[in-house]
Amino acid sequence: SMRVLIGEADFLKKRLGLEDLSTLEAWQLATADQPLPAATVYLDLSGCFAKYRPNNIPSDAWWIVHAPAHTLSELPPQTIRLNAWPGFAAGADWEMAWEGEKAEQIATATCATLHKKPIQVPDQIGFVGARILASIIQEAVMLSDEGAASKTDIDLAMKLGTNYPRGPFEWAEAIGWEEVREVVERMKGEG
């Protein structure tokens, strides 16, 4: 069965933590600006098709999509959510949310071909990892805005004190400020 990775090759290599995409024999590379070929599973690490899908795709196709700011109820049917923030998708374990036995089979089989392990988490805004990281980034911004420490000092303190690979401001730059803000705003709306 054919699967399709959506995104530019360099983007996918970086997100997946791979040097060579040719090792993914069951996958075909596609980009968001071209017609997508028929496939059984589409893996969208950029989240560009999270809410809106092309009309010409098979109705029985599954989507595994980067969507930390949305829940399954907000997304089209046959969707499996994935946290593909930089650093997260390159890891061996993938934080995912799905509903039903068929979705679990798709998630498990897809992850196996990518040498990943699916970790099912509650279907909530931010999953678990992105939720924690977004909260840390938000706290770091407040600390900096209060003048208690510089952005550089906060990043250094987090890297030295917690052994994080990046500080909160470095994470936000890598992820994208808009994406972090969207998760934070959606989390605020849950309460």
Side-chain angles (χ1 to χ4, degrees), residues 96-189:
M96 303 173 89
W98 64 75
E99 291 178 356
E101 195 174 306
K102 181 66 174 173
E104 182 176 9
Q105 292 169 355
I106 296 290
T108 301
T110 298
C111 285
T113 65
L114 296 168
H115 310 291
K116 307 289 182 182
K117 178 183 173 191
I119 306 297
Q120 186 179 20
V121 297
D123 183 32
Q124 64 186 4
I125 300 300
F127 299 99
V128 176
R131 196 176 181 94
I132 292 169
L133 185 55
S135 297
I136 290 170
I137 292 168
Q138 180 182 21
E139 187 64 31
V141 167
M142 290 188 317
L143 190 63
S144 174
D145 288 350
E146 292 168 2
S150 71
K151 293 175 182 178
T152 303
D153 289 343
I154 293 168
D155 279 344
L156 182 60
M158 287 301 291
K159 290 189 287 190
L160 294 176
T162 62
N163 202 28
Y164 282 9
R166 296 179 174 117
F169 292 99
E170 293 168 333
W171 273 113
E173 287 296 325
I175 294 163
W177 283 98
E178 282 305 311
E179 197 163 348
V180 173
R181 273 190 210 101
E182 185 178 19
V183 168
V184 168
E185 291 304 314
R186 295 294 315 275
M187 285 173 18
K188 286 179 187 176

